[in-house]
Amino acid sequence: MAVHPRAGQPATRADLVDVAHLVTSYYAEHPDPSVAEQRVAFGTSGHRGSALKIGFTDDHIAAAAQAVCEHRARAGVTGPLYLGRDTHALSEPAFVTALEVFVANDVRVLVDSRDGYTPTPAVSLAILSHNSGRTDGLADGVVVTPSHNPPEDGGFKYNPPDGGPADSGITKGIQDRANELLEAGLSGVKRIPYARARQAAEPFDFLDLYVTELPSVVDLDAIRSAGVRIGADPLGGASVAYWSEIADRHGLDLTVVNPVVDSTFGFMTLDWDGRIRMDCSSQYAMASLISRRAEFDVATGNDADSDRHGIVTPDAGLMNPNHFLAVAIDYLYSHRSGWAEGAAIGKTMVSSSIIDRVASSLGRRLVEVPVGFKWFVPGLLDGSIAFGGEESAGASFLRRDGRGWTTDKDGLILALLASEIIAVTGSTPSARYRELTASLGDPVYARIDAPATREQKAALGALSPSQVAVEEIAGEKILDRLTNAPGNGAPVGGLKVVTESGWFAARPSGTEDVYKLYAESFKGPDHLALLQEEAQTVLDGVLGS
């Protein structure tokens, strides 16, 4: 991927979205359901799109909200629906649309009592707190967010009563019904005026619940006692008020580096492709915070809905997400005496194999699942998985006594965990990672995108292990060919090939005409490059490129 010449540089006025035009498009444009790009497409992160491309409009959200109401009726979900939103420009109008539809369908809706922004983990925690000990009257939730996507995008995602991302059975049902409603010109969508809907909505203090419960999952006493100096950058997202409240209530030496909320996100530095994107795992999007790393013992970033984390240390800058996951797992399973001895470690199949080696060194079972945080939800709910993490800087873990915390990703607790590690061990997470690699090996990891037609992407998603006929790759014998995840047997929607010193995995993109090729080597950059080259040759052969 070619890096834009302005990547990592501050955005200029020319880079900013016209918010007035964007919001006008949300209401004025109407999708054509016969155009694939204008239909509702509910992935694991819900429906995303831009009003400027007629992919995220009032019609889309009215249809999706009605489909959620009908799903609730079919599933017997009769408790409240927790409704939150992030700071993207389209989030507020979509919040309004959704509320009008939910209340018209006689759904009891709980919204933020401070009329503020709500991180995804705060919604997950609220759902689980309500449902604890209940067998009926269960709650669910919706977060209006496109996560780290550019400012012109909007998003709408549904969390069922288990508190985590909805599984594919639920999302497909919601998606299909929403598209039926679009095709019917929204006939069947119930809706009332916003004034009536807002009056019917009930207040809920998401922030108070989250900040009050936080010491049950992270050792804030240790952080405070050690005087760890923390710089927290919300990247203009939903965690803005949360970080200041955490600092004040728990007495932490924590500076909110950038408290500005601006729906153009004009304070950002440009990402690798020259676009504004609140990606806290990107060295380009995080350039401003990285430049201030010497001011703090640790600096952290979150994306717009705060479900992802970025960790910046004085000695290493921005940590690779895989590196911090390995350190977090190593630390937590050595310092959480309240966790069950049989509690497993959860990772996605394209996360670094350094995690496998950490798990082995700890004597813990590893559960390797396909891409998508939804696969960790059952384990985080019943405690059989104490930590679930994915390569894209998303993770969550159990409370210190082994009870569930959130079943969706929580960027705030991972950010605070970095401070706890410093407080308890006296070492930065990056220093600890270097110690781990000294004993377990030092992997080199990369992801590239390769062009692929729709037909090739479909073929990749349906591969069988027998189609990979080669016996060696990058000079090593192939030990495994995987199209189903070893941790739960679920299809991976692609392929993973494993050798003694490395692996590659390929999966089709859900939004672009490319496939994503992940690869890792414990033999260094040259071996990684050879692995990538030969992997593409193998894939070209089976995909008919």
Side-chain angles (χ1 to χ4, degrees):
M1 298 181 288
V3 176
H4 193 278
R6 292 181 55 224
Q9 298 179 20
T12 66
R13 289 183 62 85
D15 299 310
L16 307 186
V17 67
D18 182 338
V19 173
H21 178 54
L22 179 66
V23 175
T24 298
S25 298
Y26 174 83
Y27 288 109
E29 298 286 1
H30 300 280
D32 178 353
S34 68
V35 178
E37 292 78 13
Q38 295 181 25
R39 292 172 67 82
V40 172
F42 239 86
T44 56
S45 297
H47 174 72
R48 294 183 186 177
S50 176
L52 301 179
K53 297 180 179 179
I54 324 180
F56 190 92
T57 66
D58 180 73
D59 289 359
H60 288 103
I61 302 311
Q66 181 65 41
V68 166
C69 293
E70 295 176 15
H71 163 76
R72 295 180 99 243
R74 289 193 305 273
V77 180
T78 58
L81 183 147
Y82 292 91
L83 180 61
R85 71 185 191 277
D86 78 356
T87 55
H88 277 77
L90 290 176
S91 292
E92 185 159 352
F95 174 92
V96 169
T97 303
L99 185 60
E100 291 174 349
V101 173
F102 290 147
V103 175
N105 281 270
D106 297 320
V107 174
R108 180 187 169 204
V109 183
L110 300 184
V111 299
D112 189 69
S113 60
R114 305 166 191 237
D115 198 26
Y117 307 107
T118 310
T120 286
V123 173
S124 180
L125 180 64
I127 294 169
L128 296 182
S129 296
H130 174 88
N131 293 343
S132 179
R134 295 176 183 264
T135 56
D136 57 10
L138 299 180
D140 55 5
V142 164
V143 189
V144 184
T145 174
S147 190
H148 62 285
N149 277 29
E152 63 269 24
D153 283 4
F156 179 96
K157 63 181 181 180
Y158 173 67
N159 285 39
D162 61 20
D167 67 34
S168 56
I170 294 174
T171 56
K172 187 177 187 304
I174 293 172
Q175 168 189 288
D176 292 350
R177 176 56 179 153
N179 285 320
E180 288 176 2
L181 291 165
L182 288 180
E183 291 165 353
L186 299 185
S187 176
V189 174
K190 299 177 182 178
R191 193 165 180 175
I192 64 172
Y194 179 65
R196 286 172 53 198
R198 190 65 183 84
Q199 187 175 23
E202 300 176 31
F204 182 81
D205 199 336
F206 289 95
L207 187 151
D208 181 69
L209 173 66
Y210 188 91
V211 177
T212 298
E213 294 289 315
L214 199 53
S216 71
V217 69
V218 179
D219 191 349
L220 300 181
D221 289 340
I223 297 171
R224 181 176 56 255
S225 298
V228 179
R229 291 176 296 116
I230 307 165
D233 191 345
L235 300 186
S239 63
V240 170
Y242 283 66
W243 281 119
S244 58
E245 186 74 11
I246 289 167
D248 293 345
R249 195 181 302 186
H250 297 296
L252 303 184
D253 184 358
L254 188 155
T255 301
V256 181
V257 173
N258 176 23
V260 175
V261 174
D262 168 13
S263 56
T264 70
F265 295 88
F267 47 78
M268 289 292 297
T269 50
L270 301 181
D271 203 4
W272 67 272
D273 56 356
R275 301 181 70 188
I276 297 174
R277 188 179 288 109
M278 287 59 69
D279 184 352
C280 50
S281 66
S282 164
Q283 63 176 311
Y284 304 108
M286 289 276 280
S288 294
L289 186 61
I290 294 169
S291 70
R292 300 183 61 180
R293 64 186 182 273
E295 300 176 32
F296 308 102
D297 295 321
V298 65
T300 63
N302 297 114
D303 61 344
D305 71 321
S306 315
D307 69 343
R308 299 173 69 191
H309 60 275
I311 308 301
V312 177
T313 64
D315 53 301
L318 179 65
M319 290 188 69
N320 179 296
N322 278 302
H323 298 180
F324 183 66
L325 289 182
V327 171
I329 290 165
D330 173 71
Y331 173 83
L332 286 167
Y333 283 83
S334 304
H335 290 82
R336 290 295 189 264
S337 59
W339 288 4
E341 290 186 8
I345 297 165
K347 62 163 277 194
T348 54
M349 288 187 68
V350 295
S351 298
S352 172
S353 288
I354 190 74
I355 295 172
D356 304 49
R357 298 186 180 194
V358 169
S360 178
S361 71
L362 293 166
R364 292 280 185 162
R365 182 169 61 94
L366 184 71
V367 176
E368 192 171 5
V369 300
V371 172
F373 203 78
K374 65 183 180 181
W375 301 109
F376 299 127
V377 172
L380 290 170
L381 200 58
D382 66 17
S384 59
I385 291 177
F387 181 100
E390 53 186 15
E391 77 295 336
S392 56
S396 190
F397 51 89
L398 301 181
R399 297 181 197 238
R400 294 159 69 187
D401 62 4
R403 291 179 297 134
W405 171 248
T406 65
T407 45
D408 211 330
K409 295 170 290 195
D410 189 340
L412 288 91
I413 63 166
L414 270 295
L416 286 167
L417 179 65
S419 295
E420 181 186 329
I421 291 170
I422 294 170
V424 173
T425 69
S427 296
T428 63
S430 45
R432 178 55 184 154
Y433 181 73
R434 290 192 294 272
E435 293 174 357
L436 287 175
T437 58
S439 60
L440 301 177
D442 191 0
V444 186
Y445 177 101
R447 194 200 93 186
I448 58 176
D449 293 348
T453 64
R454 287 192 177 188
E455 294 74 20
Q456 288 171 330
K457 291 198 298 178
L460 177 57
L463 275 182
S464 67
S466 61
Q467 290 177 263
V468 180
V470 296
E471 296 297 325
E472 288 190 357
I473 191 161
E476 293 191 328
K477 181 181 178 182
I478 291 175
L479 302 178
D480 222 339
R481 303 167 177 83
L482 301 169
T483 55
N484 292 80
N488 59 3
V492 302
L495 170 73
K496 183 173 183 178
V497 172
V498 182
T499 69
E500 183 179 356
S501 304
W503 58 270
F504 79 83
R507 50 186 291 268
S509 168
T511 56
E512 302 173 88
D513 288 331
V514 300
Y515 67 79
K516 300 177 187 296
L517 176 63
Y518 307 80
E520 183 174 51
S521 170
F522 279 82
K523 285 187 170 181
D526 291 343
H527 183 252
L528 174 67
L530 181 62
L531 188 58
Q532 290 172 315
E533 179 185 345
E534 295 192 12
Q536 286 189 283
T537 301
V538 168
L539 291 166
D540 288 347
V542 297
L543 299 180
S545 299

